[in-house]
């Protein structure tokens, strides 16, 4: 009996030693890897780019590491959307966040005021050759909250229109320059799409939205802003939305999703497949699908979504570098973060290959960029960018887009537009009535 | 046992010194018991008891993700929750999912077990294929069914086409989404119940069937008079386990529909997650959890009452 007690104690001690030993040794061993890179300072870099642009980002990070012996950045790629933002917020709250991360600029209003992010030091940025003048004003301003710069944009990624040039030619809708002739009204757009449908025999336009609030919001907000409408979401006040404009935009989208011009029940993946298989002529999509279209080897071009309602506007967001809040930032470490970000920005020409419009103007103004087709054909969208209306709950991958989907997916599939808009406004008002939880 | 009892009595009579030894032994035995309990006890306290108590505390505060608003707000969160239409809707969705999923998960499992028990050739193959999906991770199951349910390219709609069924947007149509999730769930988890039933079936004594057939009972008579009554305890167990499992549904819904379309598949746990982790309101989220906890307790009591009443009669 006594022997057995001793034995179990010993076993427990041994087991405990194994557990604690594992906990202590594990990090030490894995911590050796970055330090092994020639005394370079290891930087932890989080982002959510896992598609084609994730591969390009890995290349940019490798290039930055190779050019700068001072640091060695290691990327951690997390799943896009809610999982990423939840983890980033939790890490920042704990005060042990990564050194640098990429966020959507539209998510800043939910992160910066609550102290989840640290502001950038403009002087230090300038020291590494990055200044306000290097960015288009709309993009730079999006990173500023209450006078402090919280994000440095890497790109702008608008919602654009791709088109199959072969199909467009057969449909007779190309202009003299070989690009799509300018479209200036909803009626004209329907005509062009119908002409393309006649060529493909399937659909004129590919657009996937089912179960995807972000996709619904991107197209809706493009047309809503083209109608010159504003959306203001101030906590404590009812949402200010131009309901007439919203209904007009939704009614037009419904006209497109008639089963002939575009599929009534199109989802994202099916829409991509349809366009790259030549079963449609037009494709409403984010610029990030550019590599997919290129790899498919189809003849295509791209441009901003035509201005159908009078005001040129494109829904967009930006991938932007942020400094997740750290309780005790190390000055020398932070310095390397600035060097890293500056190095990535200056090397971001390749980022255009992922479809995104680089935010760093020296890249856009370089000779090589003008020759990049179709990137150069939609670069003008950067001048008419529209980010989500600022609020703590808006932005890419936020619940806001889910709430939009909840009320509007039915409309896309044929329900009453005005009822959908009212439901969305009611939902927003519930959110706005509650105090901002992250202020 | 007997000898040790006798000897310990003898020792007790022997005097105070012996009593001390006995106490020391009992203490040693107790210590051993505690030592065995300790590893589990530590984890239980750390990862279950403490979070529950902390959650209870949170539910009376306005704590948010950033740690702001941690002041005591009394029953404010509970008052808000009880008046929150979305919360009630998520509770009803959960109950609806539980009803929709539990019935087929019991019936289909029973039918599959009965068929396999008929003694078909290659029984191991049937057993394996019915149980296999249960071994998959929820993510695999979700991705698999998202593709099967795809309204344009999916296999399900393709199979229904010859029957003259119009393509259904299984996971995107508010009328169908919950059914889509239920179908995927049944396919995924029915194997476990099937296995429980099969084991129970094989435990029914063969003599009962022999006696029944001598008395002239046919196969159907045997099924309803022997098999199903003999399976009653297993059915009770499966129903209880299934109701509890269905009430806490989260994975499939989060991955297949994110609670949509139009909130028709937002279960209670999904709503708790949304409120806390994407809506940043930990305090309110904790309050909803405890409301849900109360509802589960009520359901459990009702269930126990029902099964207890059934018990003595059979």
């Amino acid at each position: 009996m006594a022997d057995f007690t001793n034995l179990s104690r010993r076993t427990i001690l041994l087991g405990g030693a194994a557990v604690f030993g594992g906990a202590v040794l594990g990090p030490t061993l894995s911590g050796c890897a970055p330090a092994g890179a020639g005394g370079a300072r290891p930087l932890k870099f989080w982002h959510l780019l896992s598609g084609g642009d994730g591969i390009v980002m890995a290349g940019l990070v490798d290039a930055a590491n190779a050019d700068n012996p001072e640091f060695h950045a290691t990327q951690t790629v997390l799943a896009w959307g809610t999982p990423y933002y939840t983890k980033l917020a939790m890490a920042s709250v704990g005060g042990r966040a990564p050194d640098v991360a990429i966020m959507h600029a539209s998510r800043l209003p939910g992160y910066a005021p609550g102290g989840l992010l640290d502001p950038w030091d403009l002087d230090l940025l300038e020291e590494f050759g990055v200044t306000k003048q290097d960015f288009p004003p709309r993009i730079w301003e999006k990173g500023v909250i209450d006078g402090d710069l919280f994000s440095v944009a890497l790109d702008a990624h608008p919602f654009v229109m791709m088109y199959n040039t072969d199909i467009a030619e057969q449909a007779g809708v190309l202009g003299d320059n070989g690009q799509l002739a300018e479209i200036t009204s909803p009626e004209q757009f329907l005509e062009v799409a119908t002409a393309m449908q006649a060529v493909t025999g399937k659909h004129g336009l590919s657009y996937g939205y089912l179960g995807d609030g972000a996709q619904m919001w991107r197209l809706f907000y493009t047309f809503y802003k083209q109608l010159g409408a504003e959306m203001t979401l101030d906590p404590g006040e009812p949402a200010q939305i131009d309901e007439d404009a919203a209904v007009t935009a939704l009614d037009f989208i419904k006209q497109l999703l008639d089963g002939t011009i575009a599929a009534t029940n199109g989802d994202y993946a099916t829409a991509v497949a349809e366009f790259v298989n030549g079963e449609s002529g037009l494709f409403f999509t984010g610029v990030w699908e550019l590599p997919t279209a290129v790899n498919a080897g189809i003849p295509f071009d791209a441009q901003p979504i035509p201005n159908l309602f009078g005001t040129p506007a494109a829904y967009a967001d930006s991938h932007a570098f942020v400094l997740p809040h750290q309780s005790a930032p190390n000055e020398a470490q932070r310095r390397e973060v600035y060097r890293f970000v500056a190095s990535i920005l200056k090397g971001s020409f390749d980022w255009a290959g992922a479809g995104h419009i680089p935010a760093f103007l020296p890249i856009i103004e370089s000779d090589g960029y003008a020759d990049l087709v179709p990137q150069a054909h939609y670069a003008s969208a950067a001048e008419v960018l529209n980010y989500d209306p600022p609020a703590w709950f808006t932005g890419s991958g936020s619940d806001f887009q889910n709430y939009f989907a909840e009320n509007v997916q039915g409309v896309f599939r044929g329900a009453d537009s005005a009822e959908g808009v009212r439901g969305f406004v009611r939902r927003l008002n519930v959110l706005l009535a509650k105090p901002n939880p992250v202020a | 046992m007997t000898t040790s009892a006798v000897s310990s009595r003898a020792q007790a009579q022997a005097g105070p010194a012996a009593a001390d030894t006995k106490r020391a032994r009992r203490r040693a035995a107790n210590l051993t018991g505690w030592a065995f309990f300790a590893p589990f006890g530590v984890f239980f306290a750390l990862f279950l008891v403490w979070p529950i108590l902390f959650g209870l505390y949170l539910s009376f505060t306005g704590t948010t993700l950033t740690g702001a608003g941690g002041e005591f707000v009394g029953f404010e969160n509970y008052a808000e929750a009880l008046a929150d239409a979305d919360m009630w809707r998520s509770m009803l969705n959960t109950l609806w999912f539980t009803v929709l999923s539990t019935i087929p998960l019991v019936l289909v499992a029973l039918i599959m077990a009965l068929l396999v028990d008929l003694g078909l050739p290659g029984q191991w193959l049937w057993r394996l294929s019915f149980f296999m999906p249960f071994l998959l991770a929820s993510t695999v199951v979700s991705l698999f069914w998202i593709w099967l349910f795809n309204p344009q390219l999916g296999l399900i709609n393709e199979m229904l086409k010859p029957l003259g069924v119009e393509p259904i947007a299984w996971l995107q149509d508010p009328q169908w989404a919950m059914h889509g999730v239920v179908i995927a769930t049944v396919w995924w988890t029915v194997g476990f119940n099937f296995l429980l039933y099969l084991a129970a079936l094989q435990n029914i004594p063969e003599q009962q069937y022999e006696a029944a057939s001598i008395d002239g009972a046919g196969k159907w008579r045997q099924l309803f008079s022997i098999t199903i009554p003999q399976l009653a305890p297993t059915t009770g167990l499966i129903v209880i386990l299934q109701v509890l499992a269905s009430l806490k549904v989260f994975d499939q819904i989060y991955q297949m529909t994110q609670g949509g379309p139009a909130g028709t598949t937002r279960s209670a746990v999904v709503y708790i997650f949304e409120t806390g982790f994407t809506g940043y309101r930990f305090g309110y989220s904790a309050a909803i959890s405890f409301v849900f906890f109360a509802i589960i307790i009520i359901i459990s009591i009702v269930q126990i009452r029902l099964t207890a009443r059934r018990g003595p009669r059979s």
Side-chain angles (χ1 to χ4, degrees):
Chain A
M1 193 64 178
D3 275 345
F4 188 73
T5 316
N6 281 340
L7 184 69
S8 79
R9 267 190 207 136
R10 204 177 299 144
T11 316
I12 287 164
L13 284 174
L14 272 176
V19 170
F20 284 107
V24 173
L25 285 177
T28 323
L29 287 175
S30 61
C32 279
R41 196 172 269 279
L43 297 181
K44 278 180 281 178
F45 170 39
W46 283 17
H47 65 75
L48 70 179
L49 308 158
S50 54
D53 46 9
I55 298 169
V56 179
M57 176 52 76
L60 294 182
V61 172
D62 286 345
N65 282 337
D67 293 348
N68 300 275
E70 295 89 346
F71 63 76
H72 182 92
T74 311
Q75 34 170 9
T76 301
V77 187
L78 297 158
W80 194 95
T82 312
Y84 177 74
Y85 282 108
T86 305
K87 288 188 181 82
L88 188 63
M90 300 295 276
S92 300
V93 169
R96 285 182 296 173
D99 297 302
V100 58
I102 281 185
M103 264 178 73
H104 287 102
S106 61
R107 295 297 296 256
L108 283 185
Y111 277 67
L116 294 175
L117 302 175
D118 291 337
W120 290 90
D121 178 345
L122 295 185
D123 296 333
L124 197 51
L125 272 179
E126 193 171 352
E127 195 183 317
F128 288 106
V130 176
T131 64
K132 183 178 177 177
Q133 282 69 41
D134 295 323
F135 295 84
R138 278 202 192 205
I139 296 179
W140 178 269
E141 287 306 326
K142 187 64 191 172
V144 177
I145 289 183
D146 294 335
D148 280 324
L149 181 71
F150 280 97
S151 76
V152 179
L154 170 64
D155 65 36
H157 47 277
F159 203 57
V160 297
M161 185 173 81
M162 294 184 189
Y163 56 95
N164 185 313
T165 43
D166 269 3
I167 295 170
E169 192 175 8
Q170 289 176 51
V173 293
L174 285 186
D176 296 336
N177 58 1
Q179 295 179 39
L180 204 63
E182 196 185 1
I183 301 172
T184 52
S185 72
E187 295 75 29
Q188 197 188 347
F189 187 87
L190 293 175
E191 281 166 25
V192 170
T194 309
M196 289 195 165
Q197 194 275 334
V199 174
T200 65
K202 195 168 181 198
H203 291 132
L205 164 75
S206 288
Y207 166 64
Y209 71 92
L210 269 189
D212 190 338
Q215 281 288 101
M216 291 182 231
W217 171 252
R218 288 165 187 150
L219 188 59
F220 166 79
Y221 202 53
T222 299
F223 290 145
Y224 181 79
K225 294 301 284 190
Q226 286 191 353
L227 283 155
E230 293 295 326
M231 194 178 288
T232 311
L233 307 173
D234 287 331
E237 289 170 30
Q240 292 172 42
I241 289 183
D242 184 338
E243 294 194 11
D244 292 339
V247 168
T248 308
L250 288 176
D251 282 343
F252 179 63
I253 293 171
K254 271 201 284 192
Q255 255 183 299
L256 295 176
L257 305 177
D258 65 351
T260 308
I261 292 177
T264 315
N265 289 316
D267 72 290
Y268 194 103
T270 316
V272 175
E274 194 177 71
F275 181 69
V276 299
N277 286 321
E279 291 172 340
S280 68
L282 300 166
F283 183 29
F284 285 157
T285 182
V287 291
W288 53 89
E289 288 299 343
L290 180 77
T292 314
V294 171
N295 291 338
I298 53 166
F300 78 104
D301 204 340
Q303 63 163 75
I305 290 182
N307 173 14
L308 305 181
F309 297 100
T311 311
Y315 161 85
D317 208 335
S318 288
H319 293 125
F321 290 103
V322 294
L323 299 169
H325 174 67
Q326 293 185 337
S327 314
N330 175 330
E331 284 305 316
Q333 185 86 359
R334 274 278 156 97
R335 213 183 143 72
E336 294 314 315
V337 169
Y338 281 71
R339 194 194 305 276
F340 167 71
V341 168
S343 174
I344 295 271
L345 287 176
K346 289 171 189 166
S348 64
F349 186 87
D350 287 347
W351 197 236
H356 307 294
I357 303 173
F360 198 57
L361 282 177
I363 301 284
I364 295 285
E365 288 157 1
S366 66
D367 294 339
Y369 192 81
D371 299 333
L372 270 187
V373 173
Q375 285 92 331
H377 289 170
Y378 58 71
S380 63
E383 292 152 27
V384 294
L385 299 181
N386 286 282
Y387 295 96
D388 277 12
W392 65 265
F393 52 81
T394 60
S396 293
S398 67
D399 283 345
F400 176 71
Q401 297 178 336
N402 291 343
Y403 298 139
F404 184 70
E406 268 178 34
N407 292 287
V408 167
Q409 178 164 289
V411 176
F412 275 36
R413 304 178 74 242
D416 182 53
S417 302
E419 188 46 49
V421 172
R422 279 196 294 271
F424 181 51
V425 171
R426 269 197 302 274
R427 194 72 178 84
L428 292 180
N429 287 342
V430 169
L431 283 169
L432 290 169
K434 293 172 189 165
N436 176 353
V438 284
Chain B
M1 185 67 192
T2 333
T3 42
S4 79
V6 171
S7 69
S8 73
R9 203 177 300 137
Q11 278 167 0
Q13 286 161 352
D20 275 357
T21 330
K22 185 188 142 198
R23 218 171 288 139
R25 276 207 191 146
R26 192 180 297 154
R27 205 178 298 137
N30 275 343
L31 268 177
T32 315
W34 283 108
F36 274 112
F37 171 72
F40 171 76
V42 167
F43 281 93
F44 183 73
L46 212 58
F47 295 109
L48 204 70
V49 177
W50 170 243
I52 288 176
L53 293 177
F54 188 67
L56 187 62
Y57 160 75
L58 275 185
S59 72
F60 291 106
T61 70
T63 307
T64 67
L65 182 85
T66 54
E71 72 282 355
F72 197 72
V73 295
F75 284 92
E76 215 172 272
N77 283 333
Y78 287 93
E80 186 183 339
L82 295 179
D84 182 346
D86 283 327
M87 188 211 74
W88 287 115
R89 206 158 154 230
S90 71
M91 299 289 168
L92 286 178
N93 285 341
T94 309
L95 292 182
W96 183 223
F97 174 83
T98 306
V99 171
L100 280 182
S101 63
T102 303
I103 295 171
L105 276 169
V106 174
L107 288 182
V108 174
L110 177 62
I111 292 168
M112 291 190 330
L114 288 172
L115 288 178
V116 170
D117 198 50
L118 281 179
L120 299 172
Q123 217 197 62
W124 65 271
L125 181 68
W126 296 102
R127 247 188 343 235
L128 183 70
S129 26
F130 288 155
F131 187 67
M132 196 93 99
F134 186 72
L135 302 175
L136 297 175
S138 66
T139 35
V140 177
V141 174
S142 302
L143 287 174
F144 186 65
W145 281 92
I146 287 172
W147 276 109
L148 286 178
F149 280 141
N150 185 301
Q152 291 180 55
L153 308 169
L155 189 63
I156 305 274
N157 278 348
E158 204 59 40
M159 278 161 45
L160 292 176
K161 210 183 271 174
L163 305 176
V165 179
E166 286 288 305
I168 297 171
W170 286 95
L171 298 174
Q172 293 83 17
D173 188 325
Q175 279 186 315
W176 286 102
M178 188 61 99
H179 295 89
V181 173
V182 166
I183 291 170
T185 308
V186 169
W187 178 83
W188 179 30
T189 59
V190 75
F192 184 70
N193 297 347
F194 156 77
L195 219 56
L196 289 181
Y197 265 132
L198 193 62
L201 274 178
Q202 289 165 352
N203 275 336
I204 300 176
E206 194 54 38
Q207 300 92 309
Q208 295 193 6
Y209 292 105
E210 280 170 22
S213 59
I214 289 169
D215 288 345
K219 286 287 172 195
W220 286 105
R221 183 76 276 163
Q222 290 179 13
L223 173 67
F224 288 104
S225 299
I226 300 175
T227 313
I228 291 179
Q230 288 282 349
L231 289 176
T234 310
T235 307
L237 174 76
I238 288 177
V239 170
I240 287 179
L241 289 179
Q242 199 51 62
V243 166
L244 290 177
S246 290
L247 283 174
K248 57 179 196 187
V249 61
F250 176 79
D251 298 25
Q252 313 91 292
I253 291 181
Y254 181 70
Q255 291 163 76
M256 290 171 76
T257 65
Q258 293 86 41
T264 45
T265 60
R266 183 181 286 125
S267 72
V269 183
V270 172
Y271 190 58
I272 289 167
F273 171 80
E274 278 180 16
T275 317
F277 288 93
T278 62
Y280 309 133
R281 300 181 65 200
F282 280 3
Y284 184 49
S285 178
I288 301 172
S289 313
F290 277 93
V291 172
F292 186 47
F293 184 48
I295 291 176
I296 291 186
I297 287 186
I298 293 170
I299 292 173
S300 305
I301 290 174
V302 171
Q303 219 179 354
I304 289 168
R305 282 270 166 85
L306 286 179
T307 42
R309 208 177 293 158
R310 202 190 297 141
R313 220 185 281 163
S314 67

